[in-house]
Amino acid sequence: MTIADLNNGDAFKVKRVVLGREIGKRLADMGFVPGAAGKVVRSALLGDPLQVKICYYDISLRRKEASGVEIEPEGSQPSGMSKLGKRGGGG
Amino acid sequence: MSKVITIALAGNPNTGKTSLFNAITGSHQKVGNYAGVTVEKREGVRLYRGYEFRVFDLPGIYSLTAYSLDEVVARDFIIDEKPDLVVDVIDSTNIERNLYLCLQFQELRVPIVAALNLDDEAAGRGIRIDDKRLSEILRMPVVRTVGVKGYGVEWLLDRAIQVFETKSPTDYPVSYGAELEDTVGSILRELQRDAAFAGKYPMHWFAVKLLEKDARAIELLSGHRQADAVKKVVCDCIRKIEEHFGRDAAVVVAEQRYGYIHGAVAEAVRREPLGRETVTEVFDKFLLDRFLGLPVFLLILWLMFQITFKIGAYPMGWLEAFFSGLGAWVSAIMPAGLLRSLLVDGVIAGVGGVTSFVPLIILLFLFISILEDSGYMARSAFIMDKFLHVFGLHGQSFLPMIIGFGCSVPAVMAARTLKNTRDRIITVMVMPFMSCGAKLPVHVLLAGAFFGAHAGSVVLSIYIIGVALALFSSLLFRATVLRGESTPFVMELPPYRMPTLKGILWHVTDKTTRYLQKAGMVLLPASVLIWALTTFPKMPADPAGDVILLGSLRSQIEQDKLPGSGVAVEEMRLSAEARQRLAEMRSREALAFSYAGRMGKAMEPLLSPLGFDWKIGISAVTGLAAKEMVVSTLGVLYKVGAVDRHKGESLREALRKDPVFTPLVAYVLMLFTLIVVPCLASLSAMYAEIGWRWVAFAVCYWSVLAWVLCFLVYQGGRMMGWGL
Ligand SMILES: Nc1nc2c(ncn2[C@@H]2O[C@H](COP(=O)(O)OP(=O)(O)O)[C@@H](O)[C@H]2O)c(=O)[nH]1
């Protein structure tokens, strides 16, 4: 499952970046590393790009890039080092 | 003599780096470019406690890879210029991602002082940073700062002096975990076989870069005596890592860095849950709403345009009045002659041309700075990205392109927000197709003269064709000269912040001076050149010619049945009118005789397939100086008096009478003005952003496209029988 499969408002935990090369590296540089917690905040008008919360900040990704990040959907119990606010945001 | 300490100011974008740089250096700054590239190089000086601090503001970056020009520039600066220390500006609200860059400076073994900026904002969000603990763990001095208030700057400088004087060791405890350190170790051993090479760069860093498959590091490796042996070891290591972790080695390195950071942060940073939404979350709900987002953005744009061009028209008018007044005054006090003509028509007109844009630039950049500093700019790119991506453009191209409808000069300068070189080049090259404000008088004149009631729709069609051409050209460039993977749209959406007056004013002054420096350098000489082209060679004073002119004038007056002709009482008026007519005819003859006229005539064979004659050729030449000049040149050529917009009616009349002009030719000329090479002011702005090679390429592209399209429309139109 990847970030692109999530709905707005869904929280996740990164499993790994499967994209290689430039873009995979860039995503890892920006904090998409195993265990990092995040949330899909909303999508733009035509469903693309996505606004994603990761490591305490917001980033925008196109679906194409989002589909390169494998994740595990997060239930209600936040855990690990990056507890993110579970309130609000969802569109 | 005071000791000099060179500081490289580095950090992620939106961390308050500019604010801190200004707080440190005050107004003692100068701006240039890094050698050979268009990345801005900003340098400032500060005297403090007997030391002279030379501060270099590096571009805002997230990492030190070789993918973006900004990152390469930053990293080359550290390696080649060897600053005494790096001040790394860190956004305290987002410390993990910011430390990621910091760690890479540590790998470079350069002395670092970390500035925990935005300290006030972090406190407001319940983030507690134990700076002493953090400093111990990361073994570097850490200072809290608030860039906008200048708070903490002196502590920062004190720490810098301390680091400088004690030559603090830079054996930072960065560690990538057991598996990775093993492989790094074996690469390291291989690298160290060439002692001379090993002395050049920090080798641990270099080994890691090779694992990351960094293009620049691989390039540099060719300087190693046993490059092939090293490469082989590196390849083995990469394969081992990728087998072990099941993903790209470069990604693994990034993960290990974050692992190390999380360890450090867990010990030194506490986050108290806020229990409420942040301001940014609340604003985003509205401004990024799926359905509201776009209309709100368009409304903001509309307001920006209205205010800029409505309000900007006043000071623009004053400046124009001032310079034409100045010209008139100089004409009055100086004897007629070449020098006066040079001063009035060349220099004063040129300076007037440069300065008349200034109010627009100031106002546009006022808005752009507010949008940028508040954090909204990135959101507008988020909203627009999908629409532009289809055409190979980037969400951030949208705003500059819209500004292009006003004036290409600030639009091209605004394209600097595009960090990717390819995107920036494309955006700049399609900019002239966004029909600018100066082209409007041309469209209005021609449409008004030949399309009567349909003038409005005709002008609109030109705008639409312009947008279509911009999108088409962008696709074309993407498919040909600027091919390559489309830029990923991985863009931070920074928190909203209240822009400060100081920050905004600084941006505006900065941009305006840059415009004056750059455009002025080109526009003024260009204006003198155009003056020379239209003035020389002088027509020989020719009384006999005047007699002939007068003769033709007389017969024309009779033909025209001028009001009052033949009536004795109005003889005086006639002669005054005749004298004016004579002067007009002579200036027309002079223009035809000049180099510009000859160029126009020489171009005629090229232009006649488009339905144009030499007069239109001249207008194309003078239109280079400024697009409105097309109208005034036509004015001179059609003997209705120079540079006078209020005489529009008589010019329209004269154009209609010329058998060369048909509605079809008029439309083709509008198209031609839209597509052909833009004015010199925008060319010089483009040169500053994308370099002369691309500008030269673009000039060819625009010219060819203009010709081909106009040819097709004209010949096609004639075949359809529209030209008659
Ligand atoms: N509250 C607060 N705002 C800051 C601070 N430093 C900068 N800002 C604001 O953050 C925004 C971005 O600052 P700027 O200096 O342009 O950041 P840069 O992109 O890193 O150069 C501006 O609106 C600044 O006014 C700070 O320490 N505290």
Side-chain angles (χ1 to χ4, degrees):
Chain A
M1 204 174 181
T2 70
I3 294 183
D5 303 321
L6 294 173
N7 292 319
N8 293 350
D10 287 355
F12 61 83
K13 190 165 260 187
V14 176
K15 267 193 350 211
R16 59 179 193 148
V17 173
V18 286
L19 287 170
R21 300 177 165 270
E22 183 168 347
I23 174 62
K25 168 76 169 145
R26 170 87 350 190
L27 287 172
D29 281 352
M30 298 301 277
F32 288 88
V33 292
K39 185 171 103 171
V40 176
V41 182
R42 62 170 61 77
S43 56
L45 183 58
L46 301 176
D48 198 15
L50 302 172
Q51 178 184 7
V52 174
K53 213 178 245 313
I54 183 87
C55 284
Y56 309 103
Y57 76 98
D58 285 12
I59 196 168
S60 105
L61 301 177
R62 291 195 185 123
R63 280 192 183 273
K64 180 160 164 270
E65 287 118 29
S67 65
V69 185
E70 273 184 13
I71 48 99
E72 217 161 88
E74 278 284 277
S76 49
Q77 74 284 10
S79 61
M81 83 274 156
S82 306
K83 271 188 219 168
L84 277 172
K86 284 286 176 287
R87 307 159 298 276
Chain B
M1 271 291 287
S2 54
K3 283 194 206 167
V4 175
I5 304 183
T6 52
I7 291 185
L9 195 66
N12 286 184
N14 307 308
T15 51
K17 219 158 58 66
T18 310
S19 311
L20 205 60
F21 179 72
N22 289 336
I24 296 175
T25 62
S27 53
H28 307 280
Q29 313 179 353
K30 63 174 192 243
V31 192
N33 275 355
Y34 286 95
V37 294
T38 52
V39 177
E40 197 169 274
K41 181 178 192 175
R42 206 175 276 283
E43 190 186 335
V45 175
R46 165 74 177 264
L47 298 174
Y48 179 73
R49 288 193 202 273
Y51 291 87
E52 180 183 333
F53 288 86
R54 287 210 192 127
V55 189
F56 295 86
D57 190 15
L58 300 185
I61 49 177
Y62 294 105
S63 179
L64 282 180
T65 58
Y67 296 130
S68 92
L69 198 54
D70 282 353
E71 296 183 13
V72 173
V73 161
R75 150 173 155 182
D76 285 355
F77 185 86
I78 308 278
I79 294 175
D80 300 335
E81 312 279 321
K82 299 194 172 49
D84 293 315
L85 56 116
V86 168
V87 168
D88 185 18
V89 186
I90 289 175
D91 173 355
S92 309
T93 65
N94 187 6
I95 200 157
E96 285 89 347
R97 201 201 60 214
N98 280 262
L99 281 178
Y100 185 80
L101 178 67
C102 188
L103 215 61
Q104 298 184 56
F105 288 122
Q106 292 200 337
E107 290 163 17
L108 274 171
R109 297 290 182 249
V110 52
I112 303 168
V113 176
L116 290 181
N117 197 41
L118 292 150
D119 188 47
D120 51 339
E121 211 167 279
R125 286 216 233 157
I127 301 167
R128 298 275 146 75
I129 302 175
D130 182 347
D131 49 354
K132 282 206 194 62
R133 190 79 196 95
L134 195 66
S135 164
E136 277 163 25
I137 299 171
L138 298 173
R139 281 207 224 140
M140 60 180 185
V142 171
V143 180
R144 293 166 187 274
T145 58
V146 180
V148 274
K149 301 213 177 81
Y151 170 86
V153 166
E154 279 166 14
W155 294 341
L156 194 65
L157 295 180
D158 285 335
R159 293 308 226 154
I161 294 173
Q162 208 175 358
V163 168
F164 178 76
E165 289 298 347
T166 56
K167 303 264 175 288
S168 308
T170 54
D171 53 335
Y172 300 106
V174 193
S175 158
Y176 295 98
E179 291 106 335
L180 222 55
E181 285 299 342
D182 264 2
T183 51
V184 170
S186 51
I187 297 176
L188 209 51
R189 269 193 301 283
E190 211 55 43
L191 279 172
Q192 264 148 359
R193 283 171 201 241
D194 182 344
F197 186 85
K200 271 196 271 184
Y201 314 99
M203 277 300 114
H204 189 273
W205 169 80
F206 201 86
V208 175
K209 281 288 143 191
L210 287 175
L211 271 189
E212 287 185 287
K213 305 176 202 169
D214 182 280
R216 291 277 286 201
I218 293 169
E219 216 179 285
L220 291 175
L221 186 62
S222 56
H224 193 282
R225 264 193 293 141
Q226 277 138 343
D228 288 336
V230 180
K231 257 183 215 154
K232 205 178 148 295
V233 175
V234 173
C235 286
D236 285 348
C237 289
I238 289 177
R239 190 155 12 89
K240 251 196 290 183
I241 292 173
E242 294 187 346
E243 264 164 28
H244 180 85
F245 288 92
R247 51 191 168 269
D248 200 282
V251 171
V252 175
V253 172
E255 290 170 6
Q256 299 302 317
R257 281 198 194 111
Y258 269 111
Y260 174 77
I261 291 168
H262 284 308
V265 168
E267 273 192 58
V269 180
R270 294 264 161 284
R271 285 188 152 90
E272 284 160 23
L274 252 189
R276 62 181 153 81
E277 292 183 344
T278 62
V279 177
T280 296
E281 282 165 347
V282 176
F283 269 72
D284 268 351
K285 263 192 189 168
F286 172 65
L287 291 173
L288 286 188
D289 182 88
R290 222 171 148 166
F291 302 105
L292 277 182
L294 187 60
V296 170
F297 175 49
L298 295 178
L299 182 73
I300 292 176
L301 275 183
W302 183 80
L303 278 176
M304 176 169 131
F305 253 75
Q306 287 298 311
I307 296 176
T308 304
F309 289 96
K310 287 264 154 64
I311 295 187
Y314 293 101
M316 256 180 114
W318 299 331
L319 282 170
E320 273 164 19
F322 171 77
F323 281 101
S324 67
L326 186 67
W329 179 72
V330 172
S331 305
I333 59 161
M334 275 180 75
L338 257 192
L339 185 63
R340 182 177 92 179
S341 169
L342 169 66
L343 266 181
V344 174
D345 301 326
V347 177
I348 295 180
V351 174
V354 176
T355 38
S356 68
F357 282 111
V358 169
L360 282 192
I361 304 241
I362 291 180
L363 283 167
L364 275 176
F365 278 112
L366 191 70
F367 284 107
I368 294 175
S369 308
I370 294 174
L371 293 184
E372 234 167 28
D373 275 9
S374 63
Y376 185 72
M377 191 73 113
R379 265 102 184 154
S380 73
F382 175 79
I383 294 170
M384 294 309 301
D385 183 65
K386 183 70 185 177
F387 303 99
L388 292 165
H389 186 47
V390 178
F391 296 100
L393 285 161
H394 189 275
Q396 278 172 318
S397 307
F398 189 72
L399 192 90
M401 287 175 71
I402 290 296
I403 296 170
F405 283 127
C407 175
S408 301
V409 176
V412 166
M413 288 165 78
R416 185 162 285 204
T417 41
L418 285 155
K419 279 301 167 206
N420 180 281
T421 320
R422 213 185 300 145
D423 291 331
R424 191 165 59 216
I425 292 173
I426 292 184
T427 308
V428 166
M429 289 204 303
V430 303
M431 194 70 79
F433 298 136
M434 316 309 281
S435 188
C436 77
K439 288 175 183 171
L440 188 59
V442 185
H443 300 327
V444 168
L445 169 78
L446 292 167
F450 293 96
F451 294 95
H454 301 295
S457 341
V458 168
V459 174
L460 184 65
S461 78
I462 291 286
Y463 274 82
I464 292 171
I465 290 176
V467 173
L469 282 177
L471 299 179
F472 161 78
S473 304
S474 155
L475 274 182
L476 184 71
F477 293 148
R478 265 255 175 264
T480 55
V481 285
L482 288 159
R483 220 174 331 179
E485 230 177 293
S486 82
T487 343
F489 189 66
V490 178
M491 181 187 66
E492 184 184 1
L493 297 168
Y496 291 106
R497 295 194 174 111
M498 192 65 193
T500 63
L501 188 63
K502 214 163 101 186
I504 301 289
L505 288 182
W506 181 82
H507 277 299
V508 172
T509 340
D510 187 55
K511 291 265 164 45
T512 313
T513 23
R514 264 224 312 275
Y515 163 73
L516 282 175
Q517 278 167 359
K518 286 190 176 139
M521 287 299 173
V522 176
L523 253 191
L524 184 56
S527 159
V528 173
L529 179 72
I530 298 269
W531 167 83
L533 285 179
T534 49
T535 310
F536 297 109
K538 281 243 164 273
M539 272 221 299
D542 178 11
D546 276 2
V547 172
I548 299 171
L549 272 180
L550 259 181
S552 81
L553 185 61
R554 202 163 293 135
S555 64
Q556 214 180 342
I557 289 173
E558 264 146 36
Q559 260 179 24
D560 286 5
K561 294 207 174 43
L562 272 179
S565 59
V567 183
V569 190
E570 295 189 39
E571 201 95 274
M572 289 280 292
R573 202 169 92 77
L574 172 63
S575 71
E577 196 152 347
R579 245 180 288 141
Q580 198 198 336
R581 282 263 196 135
L582 179 65
E584 280 165 5
M585 284 180 91
R586 289 187 63 186
S587 67
R588 182 166 61 106
E589 297 287 317
L591 190 50
F593 192 73
S594 70
Y595 288 120
R598 288 167 199 205
M599 280 160 81
K601 289 207 175 107
M603 282 197 289
E604 208 170 41
L606 197 62
L607 295 179
S608 57
L610 316 182
F612 299 166
D613 67 353
W614 63 274
K615 296 200 253 351
I616 298 175
I618 301 186
S619 316
V621 175
T622 56
L624 267 180
K627 290 292 152 184
E628 316 89 290
M629 292 268 293
V630 173
V631 174
S632 52
T633 309
L634 287 174
V636 174
L637 291 170
Y638 285 90
K639 55 209 163 164
V640 290
V643 209
D644 194 345
R645 282 185 207 146
H646 307 297
K647 284 214 176 148
E649 190 41 53
S650 48
L651 180 52
R652 278 203 286 273
E653 197 66 39
L655 290 179
R656 270 196 295 263
K657 273 199 211 140
D658 187 332
V660 169
F661 265 104
T662 63
L664 179 62
V665 171
Y667 194 76
V668 174
L669 180 55
M670 288 160 77
L671 263 187
F672 190 76
T673 311
L674 170 75
I675 308 167
V676 86
V677 184
C679 71
L680 285 163
S682 37
L683 282 181
S684 69
M686 290 175 185
Y687 160 74
E689 295 307 319
I690 63 175
W692 70 267
R693 277 165 213 276
W694 282 110
V695 173
F697 169 79
V699 166
C700 299
Y701 175 75
W702 297 319
S703 312
V704 171
L705 184 69
W707 196 90
V708 170
L709 220 64
C710 290
F711 179 80
L712 290 179
V713 172
Y714 180 65
Q715 298 298 346
R718 282 209 336 172
M719 274 190 317
M720 307 288 282
W722 293 339
L724 310 166

